[in-house]
């Protein structure tokens, strides 16, 4: 790419917005030129606002002034790190104005015309973007990435779908950073496990089936298997862990399941942010957030402890970085996919 594409960030002051800023600072395709956030941050230079990441704020971004959520001044490609309450209205408004929105919000993930994408799993669903534009008269559009725990499940299940997925049961142990900032109160979190995250189980159950569904003339037909999810919050800074049991119609040998996981891990997307989506670790004590969450720059899901399950047949453990593979990094990879297939700029 001869020139970097100018991009903006909606919700630039939040945790995911800051991770987007940091990851885009040296991106070969994209350059952050525009920032927007809520009214309380509007008008400030970005460098004057609190920065919560250990790496320094990029100097060029620090000099930008934070503007309102107004598509009139935005570049053609914007990343959305908005809360759902703001994204519900703002993202369609930007799409109508000709902007392509790469969204991390839950607001439009289950919209039948909005593609919910993990490039290594269902890149073909991006075709929905053209149907979305045609049906709604938008010159822009909305593309979403999934929930930060659903993406772990989807990547593992995608590696095994050749065997015929019948049932999936998953329990998640989710990091505190998944609750945003300031997140969970310290006295609630320390030395504790909270067995409820509002809306999380439903997202995992529904989004996984859409991600692994098939695209036809009517839209995405959800995958026919059932998913049962339980979600907990644990006192870990970064890293969602998923304890997955799965029933496979073909009843493959464990060695064949392991081979499928390894083969899928070798299928990195041919994009700047493409890394091995899965890596299997043979150590029975792994994966662990302290040791494995940053693998592949946070974009690789670590898998281990594959063994027989007396109920469903197979069980394993998966771990991924909830703010990177589950949020900012996933959105950037989706934007790379959109650009790579030529579906990004309505005015280009």
């Amino acid at each position: 790419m001869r020139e970097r594409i100018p991009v903006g960030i909606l919700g630039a002051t939040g945790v995911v917005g800051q991770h987007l800023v940091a990851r885009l600072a040296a991106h070969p395709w994209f350059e952050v030129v525009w920032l927007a956030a809520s009214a309380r941050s509007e008008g400030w230079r970005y460098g004057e606002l609190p920065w919560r990441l250990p790496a320094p704020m990029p100097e060029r971004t620090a000099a930008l002034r934070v503007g309102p959520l107004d598509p009139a001044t935005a570049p053609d490609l914007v990343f959305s790190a908005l809360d759902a309450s703001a994204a519900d209205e703002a993202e369609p408004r930007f799409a109508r104005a000709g902007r392509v929105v790469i969204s991390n919000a839950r607001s439009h993930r289950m919209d039948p015309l909005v593609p919910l994408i993990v490039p290594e799993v269902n890149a073909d669903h991006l075709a929905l973007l053209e149907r979305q534009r045609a049906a709604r008269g938008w010159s822009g559009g909305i593309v979403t990435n999934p929930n930060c725990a659903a993406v772990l499940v989807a990547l593992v299940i995608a590696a095994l779908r050749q065997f015929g997925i019948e049932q999936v049961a998953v329990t998640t142990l989710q990091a505190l950073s998944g609750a945003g900032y300031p997140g969970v109160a310290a006295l609630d979190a320390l030395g504790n496990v909270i067995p409820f995250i509002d809306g999380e189980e439903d997202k995992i159950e529904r989004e996984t089936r859409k991600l692994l569904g098939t695209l036809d003339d009517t839209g995405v037909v959800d995958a026919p298997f059932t998913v049962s999810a339980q979600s907990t919050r644990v006192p870990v800074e970064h890293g969602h862990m998923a304890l997955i049991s799965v029933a496979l119609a073909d009843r493959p040998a464990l060695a064949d399941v392991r081979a499928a996981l390894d083969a899928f891990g070798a299928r990195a997307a041919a994009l700047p942010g493409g890394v091995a989506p899965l890596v299997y670790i043979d150590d029975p004590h792994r994966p662990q957030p302290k040791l494995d969450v940053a693998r592949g720059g946070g974009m690789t899901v670590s898998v281990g402890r594959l063994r027989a399950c007396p109920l469903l047949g197979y069980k394993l453990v998966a771990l991924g970085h909830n703010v990177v593979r589950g949020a900012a990094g996933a959105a950037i990879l989706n934007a790379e996919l959109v650009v790579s297939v030529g579906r990004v700029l309505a005015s280009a």
Side-chain angles (χ1 to χ4, degrees):
M1 193 163 294
R2 295 178 182 176
E3 296 183 4
R4 294 167 77 192
I5 296 171
V7 302
I9 300 174
L10 307 174
T13 58
V15 172
V16 174
Q18 292 188 3
H19 275 272
L20 282 166
V21 166
R23 295 185 73 86
L24 288 167
H27 196 280
W29 289 7
F30 305 129
E31 180 180 4
V32 177
V33 300
W34 183 89
L35 303 172
S38 63
R40 66 178 177 271
S41 300
E42 187 180 329
W44 291 85
R45 290 197 184 278
Y46 196 61
E48 298 170 331
L49 297 169
W51 178 254
R52 307 194 184 280
L53 304 188
M57 180 186 292
E59 290 185 9
R60 294 185 66 177
T61 314
L64 296 176
R65 199 169 293 278
V66 178
L69 300 175
D70 181 3
T73 59
D76 288 340
L77 178 62
V78 296
F79 293 88
S80 174
L82 293 170
D83 290 336
S85 58
D88 288 347
E89 183 276 331
E91 291 179 356
R93 181 158 48 86
F94 274 75
R96 284 193 297 271
R99 311 301 183 253
V100 174
V101 181
I102 309 296
S103 175
N104 183 69
R106 69 173 183 267
S107 301
H108 306 289
R109 289 175 185 156
M110 299 309 296
D111 184 321
L113 288 176
V114 173
L116 177 66
I117 300 290
V118 175
E120 303 94 336
V121 174
N122 65 333
D124 62 309
H125 290 195
L126 196 60
L128 281 177
L129 185 56
E130 305 303 333
R131 302 186 199 180
Q132 178 191 130
R133 289 169 169 171
R136 295 181 179 164
W138 295 349
S139 53
I142 301 172
V143 177
T144 61
N145 53 274
N147 165 269
C148 50
V151 66
L152 311 181
V153 181
L155 281 164
V156 170
I157 298 305
L160 305 181
R161 58 185 163 187
Q162 62 186 289
F163 301 121
I165 310 297
E166 293 182 326
Q167 294 175 299
V168 178
V170 56
T171 297
T172 64
L173 292 76
Q174 300 189 205
L176 296 174
S177 58
Y181 187 89
V184 183
L187 289 178
D188 290 336
L190 292 175
N192 198 19
V193 176
I194 301 170
F196 174 71
I197 305 173
D198 191 19
E200 200 77 359
E201 293 165 354
D202 180 63
K203 293 174 197 173
I204 296 169
E205 292 172 357
R206 298 176 68 206
E207 292 179 23
T208 302
R209 296 181 66 228
K210 182 175 181 180
L211 286 163
L212 275 85
T214 54
L215 189 65
D216 68 11
D217 293 339
T218 66
V220 176
V221 178
D222 286 350
F225 54 80
T226 56
V227 181
S228 175
Q230 298 188 88
S231 295
T232 69
R233 186 77 68 194
V234 297
V236 168
E237 182 180 9
H238 299 304
H240 288 356
M241 184 170 283
L243 313 179
I244 303 171
S245 291
V246 57
L248 302 173
D250 292 349
R251 309 295 189 266
L254 284 172
D256 293 331
V257 173
R258 167 63 189 275
L261 293 167
D262 289 338
F264 192 85
R267 293 168 44 188
L271 298 167
V275 298
L278 298 179
V279 168
Y280 192 93
I281 305 173
D282 284 305
D283 186 335
H285 302 286
R286 308 272 286 274
Q288 296 179 25
K290 278 190 175 181
L291 302 176
D292 302 304
V293 74
R295 190 178 301 275
M299 288 295 286
T300 295
V301 172
S302 299
V303 182
R305 298 208 65 214
L306 172 65
R307 58 214 190 276
C309 173
L311 289 178
L312 297 186
Y314 311 86
K315 56 186 175 181
L316 51 75
V317 177
L319 170 73
H321 199 305
N322 50 292
V323 184
V324 181
R325 174 51 98 161
I332 294 170
L333 193 65
N334 278 354
E336 293 170 358
L337 176 67
V338 170
V339 170
S340 72
V341 298
R343 286 196 169 102
V344 60
L345 304 180
S347 58

